[in-house]
Amino acid sequence: MFGLETGVFVLLVFCLLAACAFEFINGFHDTANAVATVIYTNSLQPTQAVVWSGIVNFIGVITGGVGVGMSIVNLLPVELLIDQNVYHSIAMVLALLFSAIIWNFGTWYFGLPASSSHTLIGAIIGVGLGYALLPENTAGVAAVNWDKVKEVFSALLLSPLIGFSLAIVLMFTLRRTLSKQIRKQIFDEPTPGQTPPGWIRILLIITCTLVSFFHGRNDGQKGIGLVMLILIGILPTVFALDTNLDIAQLKPDMAKIQQITARIDTTQLSAVDIERLQAINTSMANLAPVIAANTYKKEDALLMRKALLTISSNSKKLIASDAVKLSEADKAELKSVAVVEEKGIRKFTDHAPFWVILMISLSLGFGTMIGWKRIVVTVGEKIGKSHLTYAQGASAELVAAATIGLASGLIPDFKAPVSTTHALSSGIAGAMVASKGIKNLQAKTIQSILLAWVLTLPMAILLSATLFLLFRWLLG
């Protein structure tokens, strides 16, 4: 296959299976949050709920694109992303996958709604820090893309706060605006074993569907990003660039970048900004012959990817710099052609074949249908002291769906990884507080969830960094 030696081929297959395993665990770990409310309000039977959620997750991944996945991949140092030593790439991928799977599976086993997104991001940061400890890396911890780390971590931090706050606001609004009869229907605890009124049941099924769909669009892309990391690392000549695109499409975008960066007054720039501008100009000069010839050699694909990512990352930093005096129109245009995932020059680097999307979709969908019960019990029974009401379930899921949907591209040019687990469990907690105050929360469960939230990042970083150094030593 693609001229690979047997050992590398076996490692490739193993890495792909491990990526599917991660997404499979993600399915029954995270998607259980989506079905908890419909199960505990008797809107759907458990089997119906998990099968339906699995199907909708599948659709979400298929239609989601790759922007969120690439935003996670780009946390890694550029040097790791373009390392031409295939065994170095395998060491990186194995460290990522093993650390994420170990922590995800462990928290699932104990029924803790920990975040797969949080885990994966911690694993990626761990690889970056492990790379910083290698003697050949002269940049140290500066090699990690800390700007991207801050951006991604901000999204993960905000999602539970938004979920908690909006659920309280929504519950308050429902109490103030609905008639007394309807309030009694949706705010009273449901009768055990009794199916809710038709309109409430439809509403709860819709909110479950939305959470499942947007979970697929957001979390599914993380699995796609992992698989593309594997393929680009092991088969760079085939997957480093989107070969379905005509290289001539780069020409107008590169011309715009050149025009805009030429307008920057270098006399006002710091030494760091001057280096960034020089890096852009050097990469553009390296790409000029390729664009002029309208073709490139397969063996140069990884170097072209490096040049495009260098232009993109440095353009983003220049746009954010106060010393760069450009009009808002110029900054917006530079961002559009050079920075935004899946657009401009980034459409050549941010891609995934349909078979990869299908593989991750099936892994996530089947994972949703298996092993869901532990997390569902925690979300449905152990966050609040009272039984989940229709209003609480609908409010929590509506808030979670909105949070995940907005982070999955509903806001133009904004795609960020957020935690389905944190968005929904915090929404449930907010809805419980809105009903009977802070005392309505089960302190032990909230403490366990918070502990998992606090420990996930450092544990994933430690696991990943250790495994990365171990695999680099074993694989050379």
Side-chain angles (χ1 to χ4, degrees), residues 102-370:
I102 289 168
W103 186 254
N104 253 8
F105 190 81
T107 51
W108 166 82
Y109 182 80
F110 291 104
L112 294 176
S115 166
S116 297
S117 303
H118 208 163
T119 305
L120 182 57
I121 288 166
I124 288 175
I125 295 172
V127 165
L129 291 177
Y131 175 72
L133 297 174
L134 294 175
E136 64 261 34
N137 174 33
T138 57
V141 294
V144 181
N145 189 346
W146 292 112
D147 289 334
K148 197 68 182 177
V149 169
K150 291 175 186 175
E151 180 183 317
V152 169
F153 192 67
S154 294
L156 284 176
L157 179 64
L158 286 173
S159 59
L161 298 177
I162 291 171
F164 184 82
S165 304
L166 288 185
I168 292 176
V169 172
L170 187 54
M171 288 282 287
F172 179 80
T173 303
L174 291 175
R175 283 188 182 278
R176 288 301 182 104
T177 57
L178 297 178
S179 67
K180 185 176 181 179
Q181 182 181 356
I182 294 177
R183 283 204 308 272
K184 183 171 178 59
Q185 280 185 313
I186 66 172
F187 281 97
D188 286 356
E189 291 187 16
T191 304
Q194 182 176 315
T195 303
W199 71 273
I200 295 176
R201 187 183 184 197
I202 291 171
L203 175 63
L204 288 164
I205 292 172
I206 289 172
T207 56
C208 166
T209 301
L210 288 172
V211 172
S212 300
F213 177 74
F214 287 123
H215 174 266
R217 284 178 68 92
N218 199 279
D219 273 45
Q221 289 187 47
K222 298 159 194 169
I224 293 169
L226 268 179
V227 172
M228 290 310 299
L229 198 60
I230 295 166
L231 295 174
I232 292 167
I234 299 176
L235 295 167
T237 59
V238 182
F239 296 103
L241 298 175
D242 189 347
T243 55
N244 294 317
L245 296 177
D246 187 346
I247 203 71
Q249 293 181 43
L250 268 176
K251 192 170 186 177
D253 291 330
M254 296 294 283
K256 287 180 183 177
I257 295 169
Q258 190 170 32
Q259 289 167 7
I260 295 170
T261 54
R263 289 199 280 268
I264 296 175
D265 182 2
T266 56
T267 62
Q268 303 295 318
L269 299 185
S270 65
V272 173
D273 284 335
I274 288 174
E275 286 182 12
R276 289 166 180 166
L277 188 57
Q278 288 173 344
I280 293 173
N281 291 333
T282 301
S283 295
M284 291 181 68
N286 291 338
L287 288 170
V290 173
I291 296 171
N294 197 27
T295 186
Y296 63 94
K297 297 177 182 178
K298 284 187 175 181
E299 55 266 30
D300 292 334
L302 198 58
L303 293 175
M304 288 181 62
R305 180 181 180 85
K306 178 183 180 181
L308 292 171
L309 291 177
T310 299
I311 293 169
S312 179
S313 62
N314 284 287
S315 294
K316 183 175 183 179
K317 290 170 183 175
L318 287 177
I319 290 169
S321 174
D322 293 332
V324 176
K325 304 303 180 184
L326 287 173
S327 68
E328 291 303 317
D330 278 344
K331 287 184 178 180
E333 188 168 23
L334 182 58
K335 180 179 179 181
S336 177
V337 297
V339 177
V340 178
E341 282 92 354
E342 300 180 276
K343 290 187 177 182
I345 64 172
R346 290 291 297 272
K347 62 179 174 283
F348 282 85
T349 60
D350 300 352
H351 71 103
F354 181 74
W355 67 266
V356 171
I357 297 172
L358 184 62
M359 180 175 71
I360 293 300
S361 302
L362 290 172
S363 300
L364 186 61
F366 285 130
T368 302
M369 301 176 194
I370 299 170

Side-chain angles (χ1 to χ4, degrees), residues 3-139:
L4 287 178
E5 57 183 81
T6 304
V8 175
F9 175 73
V10 170
L11 285 171
L12 171 62
V13 173
F14 180 78
C15 288
L16 291 175
L17 289 175
C20 290
F22 168 78
E23 208 58 34
F24 184 84
I25 294 172
N26 186 8
F28 63 68
H29 193 288
D30 279 23
T31 315
N33 293 280
V35 298
T37 54
V38 288
I39 291 173
Y40 272 88
T41 55
N42 300 311
S43 298
L44 287 175
Q45 293 299 312
T47 303
Q48 295 173 324
V50 295
V51 170
W52 175 243
S53 182
I55 292 170
V56 176
N57 262 281
F58 175 86
I59 296 170
V61 180
I62 290 289
T63 60
V66 297
V68 173
M70 291 303 163
S71 73
I72 289 183
V73 169
N74 290 328
L75 289 169
L76 289 164
V78 173
E79 292 77 13
L80 271 177
L81 294 174
I82 49 88
D83 193 330
Q84 298 194 43
N85 185 319
V86 66
Y87 291 103
H88 290 177
S89 298
I90 290 170
M92 170 185 67
V93 169
L94 288 176
L96 284 174
L97 290 169
F98 276 32
S99 55
I101 288 171
I102 289 168
W103 186 254
N104 253 8
F105 190 81
T107 51
W108 166 82
Y109 182 80
F110 291 104
L112 294 176
S115 166
S116 297
S117 303
H118 208 163
T119 305
L120 182 57
I121 288 166
I124 288 175
I125 295 172
V127 165
L129 291 177
Y131 175 72
L133 297 174
L134 294 175
E136 64 261 34
N137 174 33
T138 57

